[in-house]
Structures are given as C-alpha cells and as structure tokens.
Amino acid sequence: MAELRSKPPAPADDGDAANFCSTCVFGTVCAAHDVDKIALSELHFLVEHIGPFRAGSHIFRTGEPFKAIYAVRSGVVKTVYAGSAGREYIAGFHLPGEVIGLAAIHEQRFPCDAIAVDTAYLCRFEFRTLATLTTRLPQVQAELFRLLSKDIGSATVLAGEPAADERLAAFLLGLSRRLAARGFSARVFRLPMVRRDIANHLNLAPETVSRVLRRLHDQGWIRVLDRQIELLRPDELARLAGALLPVPQVRR
Amino acid sequence: MAELRSKPPAPADDGDAANFCSTCVFGTVCAAHDVDKIALSELHFLVEHIGPFRAGSHIFRTGEPFKAIYAVRSGVVKTVYAGSAGREYIAGFHLPGEVIGLAAIHEQRFPCDAIAVDTAYLCRFEFRTLATLTTRLPQVQAELFRLLSKDIGSATVLAGEPAADERLAAFLLGLSRRLAARGFSARVFRLPMVRRDIANHLNLAPETVSRVLRRLHDQGWIRVLDRQIELLRPDELARLAGALLPVPQVRR
DNA sequence: CGGTGTGTTGAACAGCTTCAATTCATGTGG
DNA sequence: CCACATGAATTGAAGCTGTTCAACACACCG
C-alpha cells in the first residue's frame, strides 16, 4: 500500500481562454462538435473559478436562493441533507468533474448543504445565463438533461435498503470505479472522508461501518488501514453489491 | 367515510386541438405566456395519447431503450426498481399530471419498470423531438429542468431512513396533499395500491405497514378501513413526519 | 502533557423482519 | 349454487440485524 498517490492540493488544470478544465463536464461536449463559436465563448466566459474551500467550509447552504450550479474541479465535496431528529443524511460525495446543485432548480433554493471534504476548487455556472445559452447549444442542453437524469438514479440506488455489507461493498466499488475513471488506481485508494460521513451516507451507525469493514477485511476481500483501502477481491464485492452498483460508466 | 369520490375510469379531459389536457404539465406553462405559436402547435402535435393500461400492465420496462417520457393523465402508475435479492423497490406512485421516465435520459435506457396501479391513461412525448422544441420554447425547457430537479429531491427524501411511523406518516400526508392539489379531499381518500406496494415503497415489510397503520389508528390520528383512509390529526402526522415532507407545492 | 477528535471493540437493547396461522373477499369450475 | 382456490390483510411469536451506550486506543496539536 505504499504506491498510493496523494491528491494534489491545487487543481492540475485550470483551463485557459481557449480550453476548458480537463475535468470539465462540458469540455468533452464542446471539443469534438461543430458548435456555435460565439455561443461557446460565451459559455466559456460564464464559468467562474472559485476556491479554495478548506475542509468543512460551505460551498452553499440549505435554504439559500438558487443562483448557480457548481462543478468540482479538485478535491471532494459532500452534499448534506438535514434529516429527522437532528440526524444528517449525506446524499453523495462528489469527485472532480461532477456537478452539484442541480436539485435546487425545482424550488429555486438549495435543499442541502454542500461542504468541502478535502480542500476543494470548483467552477461556478450562473444558471439563468447557462439556461439561456443552452437554447443555442443543444449539446450542452443534452448534457444538462443527462446530468440531471443521472442524479435521479444515484439518489435512488441506496433507497433499496439492502444489508449493511452490500451497501458498503457497493460504496467501495463505486468509489473505486469513479477514481479509476479519473486516472487513479482502482485497487488502492484513500477514503477522503471520515467514518461518520460514510455512516451518514449509507444510513448506518459509525460503529457498524467499522464492524463491516473489519468483517470484509477478515474475509480477505479488502485490506483496511485507517483510511487506506485495498480491494483484494473486487469480484466478490461486486457479487455482494449485486444490482446496486452504478453501471461502469458507459457514456462520457 | 361515505362521501368518498370514486375515481373516474376514463380521463375527464383529453384536451383538443387548441388546448392541452387540464392535468398537463405543460399546459400552465404555455397558457399564460407569449410563446412562439408555431412551436407551440408543434409541441401540441408531438403529444400522443395512450392507454388505457389495466392494473398490472407495463408502460415501459427496465432495460428498454429510452424513446419518450410520459405524463400520467388519469389513474396511478408506479415506478419499480429491481432491488437486490429479488426484492423490488417502488420509487414512487405517480398521480395525474406527474411525469415518468426522466431517469432514463442518462443511460438512454429505462432503469425501472412503470406499471399501472389503477387503470391508467397517459400522454407520450417523444423525447428527441421535445428536446429540439425546447430550444425554441425556453419556458418548456425550464419546466423540463424543474421536473428533472424535482425527481432528484423526491428520490432523496426517503433515503434519510427514519423510523417506520415517520415514513408512513410522511407517505399518507404527502399523498393527501397531492390529491388535494388535484381537487380531491385531503382528509378522506382511498389508497390506490395494495399494502405490499406501500411496503416496497417505504422499505418495510407488509406486516409492519399493517402494524403501523393500526398503531396510528389506535392513537386516533387516522381511521383505516381497508384502503379507505381518513386523516383525523394531520397536524400530529406532520409533526411525526418532520422534515421529511414534500413541501406543499409552492410553484406550478 | 492534557485535550480533542477519530476509530475500534464489547454488551445490551430495540425495532423490524420472518415465519406461521387466521380471516375475509373475490373468482373459478364442477 | 356451492366448493374450493387464490390473494390481500391482519395478528402473534420468535429471531436477527443494526443501534445505542460505554470504554478504550491512537494520533495530532496546542
């Protein structure tokens, strides 16, 4: 477990006047297509680079009026809903290239907090301007539809309420795959968040997370050393997780 | 509990060449605004009325290629995800005016089954055509964004995993409010679905649903007679449900 | 060095599930 | 028309999974 890459504290690629960030959701959309050059440059002009946000600081808060959506450029961000009885539910952990804030469109207010887990940099997209632009950039509109649709699915996945082991297996594998898609090792990685966050994401007590990790460790399917994780038997984990897994990225 | 309205077996309003159905999601959008008349008539032309679907028959199935979204015109439709170990999870019950199929945009396949609970009639919107039209009808685009965003939220609500009583209270109250928004009584109504469906929606065993209903009944907060429900103390139910409730429709 | 927050482990408890039996309504075939 | 089968709903009893409460190890930091 020595070859673990430590995440760079600053974004590797900020983009410039001619290009989007390498992680940008809209980068791939615009690169290959014959799009309206003027509109494209407007889209580019619309992007606002913000950060750094230190671990624990808010990108937006529950109840704030909705003005913009955000794409994670570097670091990790969690979206946190206030649950009943003082509990909090973490809807997701968002890696570079992923977009947050889309759930706020409906009520025009953010329904959750967005909090940096790591030191995080983001891109800000003023939504009204973006929505206007999409009428001239159908590919961007399609991408927005797709992003919104994706979030419906991801919210639904955990709702099936499987056993603790399955949830944790699905969580680890999902994280592994998303990291792999970003050029990191799929086998060995470091959990960016504390146990309590994992617990709140999977609807478990932190103690249960500990115990399940230990169980998986004792079975020889993973190795756990603090936040260092090594997946020894991803096949077994996948079997455990069952239909719960986010499909291994077909598109984008 | 005698004044209960029985739901009409056929849609009350099919719309015509000049008007959308009274329940239509896009009706309100187009009615009041100064929109492109030609584009509007195209949108109108795009709508395809389908049905009836008898209880238990599929509107679409998991894995089918995504071609269109659907709006419920009359009746009730459930969206069912295949859960782990043969269990099934019901993401939602959809009343007239609500849209289903949006989660399929992302992977271009339906991630769930849509099954009629009641006899149901729907409107079908070819999605590609619709997406093209929205570039000329910004209000419709905005409405689509809003619908998608709404579904993210609704999927997240139950994820907070509260106690069984809270879930059931939230479910009953949510249903009551949605029915009220459609002109039915908020106090007295009939559950369109069987207990097992409620159980699969709330991640409970059918037996637990029975027991909780009985408990609420014995507390004097509701009256239950088979599928007939009367809410005697909606205030207490709301207190129980806590932050879990869908906000009482502000917009639309 | 004590303080704080994270993580682990143990033991008792609670809530929900599971299994099983019963009632009731509906529909089918003899 | 009745006998029987089927499925929904309810209720009871037992069992299990995860929670809660509590104690402790460990690292980091003033």
Side-chain angles (χ1 to χ4, degrees):
Chain A
M1 263 194 246
E3 74 281 19
L4 191 79
R5 293 173 60 177
S6 60
K7 205 163 292 133
D13 173 16
D14 263 10
D16 56 31
N19 301 295
F20 288 92
C21 319
S22 56
T23 60
C24 181
V25 268
F26 300 116
T28 51
V29 173
C30 309
H33 297 98
D34 226 16
V35 297
D36 182 333
K37 294 298 177 195
I38 299 172
L40 183 53
S41 71
E42 284 180 57
L43 172 59
H44 210 146
F45 188 69
L46 159 69
V47 183
E48 206 180 314
H49 284 191
I50 59 175
F53 294 87
R54 298 292 163 201
S57 55
H58 285 71
I59 289 86
F60 53 74
R61 289 172 190 273
T62 305
E64 268 181 22
F66 171 68
K67 290 283 189 294
I69 61 176
Y70 302 84
V72 179
R73 195 143 42 94
S74 111
V76 179
V77 174
K78 61 180 176 182
T79 41
V80 186
Y81 286 75
S84 49
R87 305 179 65 97
E88 57 182 34
Y89 169 69
I90 297 182
F93 299 100
H94 307 278
L95 304 184
E98 295 176 342
V99 173
I100 59 176
L102 295 168
I105 298 172
H106 174 51
E107 296 285 354
Q108 291 289 299
R109 319 202 145 263
F110 289 103
C112 59
D113 290 4
I115 303 175
V117 174
D118 259 338
T119 298
Y121 294 78
L122 294 93
C123 289
R124 180 180 190 279
F125 299 84
E126 171 78 20
F127 189 72
R128 286 203 61 77
T129 319
L130 182 60
T132 306
L133 267 181
T134 56
T135 59
R136 274 188 289 163
L137 291 171
Q139 282 107 345
V140 177
Q141 178 187 265
E143 185 61 27
L144 257 179
F145 283 146
R146 198 150 43 218
L147 287 169
L148 277 153
S149 177
K150 182 180 172 186
D151 276 11
I152 299 175
S154 63
T156 308
V157 173
L158 287 181
E161 181 130 9
D165 302 50
E166 304 174 42
R167 287 189 237 190
L168 217 12
F171 173 70
L172 291 176
L173 258 175
L175 193 56
S176 155
R177 291 183 180 174
R178 284 155 69 206
L179 287 170
R182 283 157 186 80
F184 295 92
S185 165
R187 220 180 101 262
V188 183
F189 53 91
R190 177 181 161 78
L191 297 172
M193 72 296 283
V194 299
R195 294 280 190 277
R196 198 175 55 78
D197 279 351
I198 302 178
N200 285 340
H201 178 48
L202 302 177
N203 283 317
L204 297 171
E207 294 92 330
T208 308
V209 173
S210 266
R211 283 186 252 266
V212 173
L213 283 178
R214 177 151 240 312
R215 208 178 305 157
L216 294 176
H217 180 103
D218 290 348
Q219 281 173 307
W221 294 1
I222 65 176
R223 287 213 303 172
V224 187
L225 185 55
D226 289 321
R227 297 198 194 168
Q228 309 280 3
I229 298 286
E230 182 172 5
L231 306 187
L232 301 173
R233 301 291 303 275
D235 52 333
E236 291 288 356
L237 292 176
R239 197 183 47 73
L240 226 189
L244 217 82
L245 275 168
V247 187
Q249 318 250 68
V250 253
R251 55 172 46 260
R252 294 219 47 244
Chain B
M1 267 195 242
E3 74 281 19
L4 189 78
R5 292 172 61 176
S6 61
K7 205 164 294 135
D13 173 15
D14 264 8
D16 57 32
N19 300 294
F20 288 92
C21 319
S22 56
T23 60
C24 181
V25 268
F26 300 115
T28 52
V29 173
C30 308
H33 298 99
D34 226 16
V35 296
D36 180 333
K37 295 297 177 195
I38 299 172
L40 183 54
S41 70
E42 283 181 58
L43 172 59
H44 210 147
F45 189 70
L46 159 69
V47 183
E48 205 179 318
H49 284 192
I50 59 175
F53 294 88
R54 298 291 163 202
S57 55
H58 284 71
I59 289 87
F60 53 74
R61 289 172 191 272
T62 304
E64 268 181 22
F66 170 68
K67 290 282 188 296
I69 62 176
Y70 302 84
V72 179
R73 195 144 42 94
S74 110
V76 178
V77 174
K78 61 179 176 181
T79 42
V80 186
Y81 286 76
S84 48
R87 307 179 63 97
E88 56 182 33
Y89 169 69
I90 297 183
F93 299 99
H94 308 279
L95 304 184
E98 295 176 342
V99 174
I100 59 177
L102 294 168
I105 298 172
H106 174 51
E107 297 285 355
Q108 291 288 299
R109 317 202 147 263
F110 290 103
C112 59
D113 290 5
I115 304 175
V117 174
D118 258 340
T119 298
Y121 293 77
L122 294 93
C123 289
R124 180 179 190 278
F125 299 84
E126 170 78 19
F127 189 72
R128 286 204 60 79
T129 318
L130 181 60
T132 306
L133 267 180
T134 58
T135 59
R136 274 188 289 164
L137 291 170
Q139 283 109 343
V140 177
Q141 178 187 264
E143 185 62 25
L144 257 179
F145 283 146
R146 198 149 44 219
L147 286 169
L148 277 153
S149 177
K150 182 180 172 186
D151 276 11
I152 299 175
S154 62
T156 309
V157 173
L158 286 182
E161 181 130 7
D165 302 50
E166 306 174 41
R167 288 189 235 188
L168 218 11
F171 173 71
L172 290 177
L173 220 43
L175 193 56
S176 156
R177 291 182 181 176
R178 284 156 69 206
L179 287 170
R182 283 158 185 80
F184 294 93
S185 165
R187 219 179 101 264
V188 183
F189 53 91
R190 177 182 162 77
L191 297 173
M193 72 297 283
V194 298
R195 294 281 190 278
R196 197 175 55 78
D197 279 350
I198 303 178
N200 285 339
H201 177 49
L202 302 177
N203 283 316
L204 297 172
E207 294 93 331
T208 308
V209 174
S210 266
R211 282 185 253 267
V212 173
L213 284 178
R214 176 149 241 313
R215 208 177 305 157
L216 294 176
H217 181 104
D218 291 348
Q219 280 173 308
W221 294 1
I222 65 176
R223 287 212 303 173
V224 188
L225 186 55
D226 290 321
R227 297 198 193 167
Q228 309 280 3
I229 297 286
E230 183 172 5
L231 306 187
L232 300 173
R233 300 291 304 274
D235 53 332
E236 291 288 356
L237 292 176
R239 196 182 47 71
L240 226 190
L244 218 83
L245 276 169
V247 187
Q249 317 252 66
V250 254
R251 58 172 43 257
R252 293 215 41 240

